[in-house]
Amino acid sequence: MRPGRSFSVHRPVSALGNWLYTGCMPTPHWQPFLIAAPLIAFTPGASQLLSLRNAVQQGAVDALVAVSGRLSAFLLLVLATAVGLGELLVTSEPVFTAVKWCGVAYLLYLGVAMLYRSRPVGAPDTSGSPPPDVSSPRRTRRQLTRQEFTVALTNPKALLLFAALLPQFVDHSAGAVPAQLIALGLGYLVVEFVAATVYAGVGGALNSFDMPPRTRRYLDRGTGVTMLAVAGGLAFARR
């Protein structure tokens, strides 16, 4: 936000109301958007790793149900961008920093939790053999959905995606910018769901192989290490 420029949500909301009243939908620049959106959505990140990991551990159906949490968080960011709050969140250094470190903290928590759950469970027998392999406890769909929601909402890259990238595909000469932002945002949610379905499908295929608990623990451990690496990269990343 430029110095001396006051922030108000009245103008975006009024523009959106005018579009709803007239029923005339301006057309954003869909062609470049539909090229950029899949490249962003299919790039491995914390959310897609969660889909893969959840599907490996509990099946593709549970993983896809959990994706509703991610899409809900993204929808909130789309609406915030449409009414003008996205610009405020991105340009406000304290707010952006707070979101960034919340995301780092949660990813660190997830990584450590996954590593903890991937440890062998049980005590060695009297012969000194290693403890038996036991599968991680199954989590409810509500827990998985809440986890996806939190990861998505506290990811500053998602905030930048909707508040800084989407406006680049808006046709300002057509007017009704908030309506175009909502259309682009909903379009991205569709692409994101397709990407999540692919990752969950791969994880579900691995789950169907009936892997032994030890192999699942190794996958959990690898995902945990990756989460820690993503958190570290996020901590040192600049806008």
Side-chain angles (χ1 to χ4, degrees), residues 150-165:
T150 306
V151 168
L153 196 63
T154 59
N155 186 351
K157 292 184 178 180
L159 177 58
L160 288 174
L161 166 66
F162 294 111
L165 185 62

Side-chain angles (χ1 to χ4, degrees), residues 103-197:
V104 170
Y106 192 67
L107 288 176
L108 287 174
Y109 162 76
L110 286 181
V112 172
M114 290 176 184
L115 291 176
Y116 180 78
R117 283 193 295 266
S118 68
R119 76 195 192 286
V121 179
D125 58 26
T126 54
S127 65
S129 301
D133 288 314
V134 180
S135 299
S136 300
R138 190 177 184 86
R139 290 167 298 161
T140 66
R141 290 178 176 177
R142 177 177 296 182
Q143 290 174 319
L144 297 177
T145 302
R146 184 170 60 245
Q147 187 181 75
E148 283 265 15
F149 178 86
T150 306
V151 168
L153 196 63
T154 59
N155 186 351
K157 292 184 178 180
L159 177 58
L160 288 174
L161 166 66
F162 294 111
L165 185 62
L166 287 189
Q168 297 183 31
F169 301 101
V170 168
D171 183 1
H172 292 275
S173 64
V177 171
Q180 294 187 63
L181 288 172
I182 289 178
L184 288 167
L186 294 178
Y188 182 81
L189 294 187
V190 173
V191 176
E192 181 73 20
F193 179 74
V194 172
T197 301

Side-chain angles (χ1 to χ4, degrees), residues 9 31 65 111 116 141 149 158 185 214 226 234:
V9 299
Q31 185 172 357
V65 170
Y116 180 78
R141 290 178 176 177
F149 178 86
R214 176 177 296 181
T226 304
L234 188 60

